[in-house]
């Protein structure tokens, strides 16, 4: 006799649902039947929270439209959604990739709810309660960096473009996170970020530089600085990246690395994506004048 899907053992359902993407979990299986809903709210199903794959723009997001319809709400809030996801996962959450823009208050909430993180994706910008992106005060920066003392099991960090606090974060990780092994850098790798990685984390084991909506950018001197500073690298992955060429010098410098994987690496900068930001000369690279176009008043942070 055929067994009905809604009669599957709860542990079996949870084992299946924990493999789903967040969007499928929260908008799909939760509304199939009561037993599936009960399984879908198990903390084990929420151990991986990748917000980077969700579109939170109220005017153009099918996810936001469907979420509001399914949960019968009129106004979508990124902060409210974060609260829902973090509270459902709690200490079971081991991977948290935050949205591009997040409040300091929500980061603090995440550190309290999810102390067992192994993978953390920081937002591109951490904003204040009034949705401004002013620089942190000394007190706020101390509060932010102190969060890493709660994430002692952290192993891997995702860094987006344009982050101005990379060195401070890496210093906090070096101090508090003894199991830390790797960084995934998305988009623009600034010379200051490369210097921070090389100087602060010489024992780094894994580094990935990859694209997002735009190609990655890392110039040759930045890569060389990392290779010279991080001599314990075991895995180096560079994907869809402009700014240098993998030639004999680079191959020689990476010859000791157990796994060096690269694809679509090219010397020419894609000017369609970096028209204002890039000034090259033989010795250095500077990044200035990018209009980020954040539009944070329209992202539903409140």
């Amino acid at each position: 006799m055929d067994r009905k899907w809604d009669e599957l053992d709860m542990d079996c359902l949870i084992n299946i649902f924990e493999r789903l993407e967040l969007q499928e979990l929260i908008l799909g299986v939760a509304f199939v039947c009561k037993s599936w809903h009960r399984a879908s709210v198990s903390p084990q199903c929420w151990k991986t929270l990748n917000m980077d794959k969700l579109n939170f723009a109220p005017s153009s997001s099918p996810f936001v439209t469907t979420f509001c319809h399914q949960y019968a709400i009129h106004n979508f809030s990124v902060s409210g959604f974060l609260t829902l996801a973090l509270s459902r996962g709690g200490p079971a959450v081991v991977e948290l990739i935050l949205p591009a823009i997040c409040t300091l208050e929500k980061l603090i909430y995440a550190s309290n709810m999810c102390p067992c993180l192994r993978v953390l994706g920081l937002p591109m910008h951490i904003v204040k309660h009034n949705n401004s992106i002013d620089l942190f005060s000394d007190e706020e920066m101390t509060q932010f960096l102190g969060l890493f003392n709660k994430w002692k099991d952290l192993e891997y960090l995702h860094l987006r473009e344009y982050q101005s606090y990379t060195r401070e974060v890496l210093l906090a990780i070096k101090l508090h996170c003894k199991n830390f092994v790797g960084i995934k850098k998305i988009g623009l790798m600034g010379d200051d970020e490369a210097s921070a990685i090389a100087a602060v984390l010489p024992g780094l084991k894994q580094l990935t530089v990859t694209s997002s909506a735009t190609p990655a950018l890392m110039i040759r001197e930045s890569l060389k600085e990392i290779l010279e500073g991080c001599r314990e690298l075991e895995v180096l992955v560079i994907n869809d990246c402009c700014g240098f060429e993998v030639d004999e010098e680079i191959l020689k410098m990476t010859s000791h690395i157990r796994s060096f994987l690269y694809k679509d690496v090219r010397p020419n900068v894609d000017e369609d994506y970096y028209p204002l930001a890039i000034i090259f000369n033989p010795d250095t690279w500077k990044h200035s004048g990018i209009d980020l176009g954040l539009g944070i008043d329209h992202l539903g942070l409140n």
Side-chain angles (χ1 to χ4, degrees):
M1 183 174 65
D2 293 337
R3 188 174 184 179
K4 296 181 180 179
W5 281 97
D6 60 354
E7 295 177 352
L8 281 176
D9 178 77
M10 187 64 62
D11 290 338
C12 181
L13 286 172
I14 291 172
N15 185 268
I16 295 171
F17 293 169
E18 68 181 12
R19 304 166 195 272
L20 297 177
E21 298 287 352
L22 190 56
Q23 181 167 331
E24 297 169 331
L25 180 67
I26 200 167
L27 297 183
V29 298
F31 291 91
V32 172
C33 61
K34 291 181 179 180
S35 64
W36 283 33
H37 179 270
R38 286 195 300 272
S40 74
V41 297
S42 166
Q44 192 67 14
C45 295
W46 297 76
K47 64 181 182 180
T48 299
L49 302 178
N50 190 341
M51 311 286 178
D52 197 39
K53 296 183 178 181
L54 301 177
N55 178 3
F56 290 123
S59 60
S60 61
S61 170
F63 171 77
V64 170
T65 301
T66 306
F67 185 92
C68 290
H69 174 74
Q70 295 278 60
Y71 289 87
I73 61 174
H74 297 291
N75 297 310
F76 181 83
S77 162
V78 177
S79 289
F81 179 78
L82 271 171
T83 300
L84 169 67
L86 294 169
S87 62
R88 285 193 175 178
V93 177
V94 294
E95 179 174 336
L96 173 61
I97 311 297
L98 289 160
I101 299 175
C102 181
T103 64
L104 177 57
E105 179 184 23
K106 268 318 157 207
L107 269 172
I108 295 170
Y109 182 74
S111 72
N112 290 329
M113 293 297 297
C114 312
C116 302
L117 288 185
R118 294 181 183 176
V119 179
L120 172 64
L122 286 172
M124 185 186 302
H125 290 281
I126 302 171
V127 302
K128 299 187 178 182
H129 299 291
N130 61 357
N131 285 0
S132 72
I133 54 171
D134 297 331
L135 294 176
F136 282 158
S137 66
D138 290 344
E139 181 180 354
E140 288 167 329
M141 180 59 77
T142 299
Q143 191 176 24
F144 165 52
L145 297 176
L147 302 182
F148 290 90
N149 188 37
K150 299 181 180 180
W151 290 320
K152 294 182 183 295
D153 295 328
L154 192 67
E155 298 175 2
Y156 215 88
L157 180 71
H158 290 208
L159 290 169
R160 288 186 173 90
E161 304 98 323
Y162 317 125
Q163 291 180 323
S164 59
Y165 46 77
T166 298
R167 180 176 291 270
E168 291 81 1
V169 166
L170 297 186
L171 286 168
I173 287 174
K174 182 178 182 179
L175 178 63
H176 299 298
C177 309
K178 302 307 180 184
N179 297 326
F180 190 79
V181 294
I183 292 173
K184 180 178 181 180
K185 175 60 185 175
I186 302 168
L188 189 66
M189 170 74 84
D191 57 348
D192 54 342
E193 290 179 303
S195 296
I197 291 171
V200 179
L201 297 175
L204 193 71
K205 304 297 184 184
Q206 301 177 22
L207 175 64
T208 296
V209 179
T210 191
S211 58
S212 55
T214 61
L217 171 60
M218 177 171 59
I219 67 162
R220 184 183 195 83
E221 294 306 315
S222 291
L223 175 59
K224 289 174 63 175
E225 185 171 9
I226 291 173
L227 292 174
E228 290 168 355
C230 302
R231 296 188 176 274
E232 297 181 28
L233 270 179
E234 298 176 357
V235 178
L236 175 61
V237 179
I238 304 175
N239 180 55
D240 189 17
C241 182
C242 53
F244 71 95
E245 182 180 9
V246 179
D247 55 16
E248 286 189 14
E249 181 186 26
I250 297 300
L251 290 174
K252 183 177 180 180
M253 294 184 71
T254 57
S255 61
H256 67 285
I257 298 176
R258 174 170 54 82
S259 179
F260 174 35
L261 305 175
Y262 58 93
K263 182 180 179 182
D264 296 333
V265 177
R266 55 218 183 260
N268 295 330
V269 177
D270 293 353
E271 295 183 359
D272 290 341
Y273 299 106
Y274 299 103
L276 302 177
I278 311 307
I279 301 172
F280 281 105
N281 64 49
D283 301 316
T284 191
W285 166 77
K286 298 295 181 184
H287 156 227
S288 61
I290 289 183
D291 178 6
L292 296 175
L294 294 177
I296 60 175
D297 290 337
H298 306 291
L299 289 178
L301 285 170
N302 294 324

